[in-house]
Amino acid sequence: MAQYGIFVYSPAPADPMALTPEYVELLERHATEVEELGGRIVTGFAFEPSTTALSVRGDVVTDGTALTSATDVISGFFVLEAPDLDTAVRIGKLNPATRDGGVEVRPLFVPPAG
């Protein structure tokens, strides 16, 4: 089954520990909803608040995220297995982060066999 990276965006500054009970309930249901669509979350991680980020561009290291013109920051990511991109997008739409932030669904690179 193909794998997809799901990047979770939240309003800046995002604090992954500041979850409402309603949001926790949505997260708990999310894995079941993913499986109902034929997908499987392989692994996932939440980041510390964006204020802890360091960005590297060339030899320059600066405080903050690498995003330069966004009000949202990446607050976490997970790897999803799904039968196809359309299913991965349907699963991405179920993520609770889409309520006040968003998600990005991107196929993972698979190097050619060789």
Side-chain angles (χ1 to χ4, degrees):
M1 195 171 334
Q3 290 189 334
Y4 302 87
I6 309 290
F7 296 95
V8 179
Y9 291 86
S10 299
D15 181 354
M17 298 302 111
L19 303 177
T20 65
E22 177 188 44
Y23 197 88
V24 170
E25 181 181 325
L26 291 170
L27 284 176
E28 289 170 349
R29 286 200 323 248
H30 188 247
T32 301
E33 294 171 332
V34 168
E35 290 176 9
E36 289 171 356
L37 288 175
R40 181 175 78 88
I41 296 173
V42 176
T43 191
F45 301 91
F47 291 117
E48 290 290 331
S50 60
T51 54
T52 66
L54 297 175
S55 296
V56 179
R57 292 182 187 270
D59 291 336
V60 178
V61 178
T62 57
D63 291 337
T65 71
L67 300 175
T68 56
S69 62
T71 58
D72 293 341
V73 296
I74 298 174
S75 59
F77 71 95
F78 61 95
V79 175
L80 168 74
E81 286 185 339
D84 52 50
L85 181 58
D86 288 339
T87 302
V89 170
R90 286 177 52 208
I91 290 169
K93 287 179 179 180
L94 294 173
N95 192 292
T98 61
R99 298 176 127 216
D100 62 358
V103 301
E104 177 181 330
V105 178
R106 190 185 302 185
L108 293 183
F109 173 74
V110 178

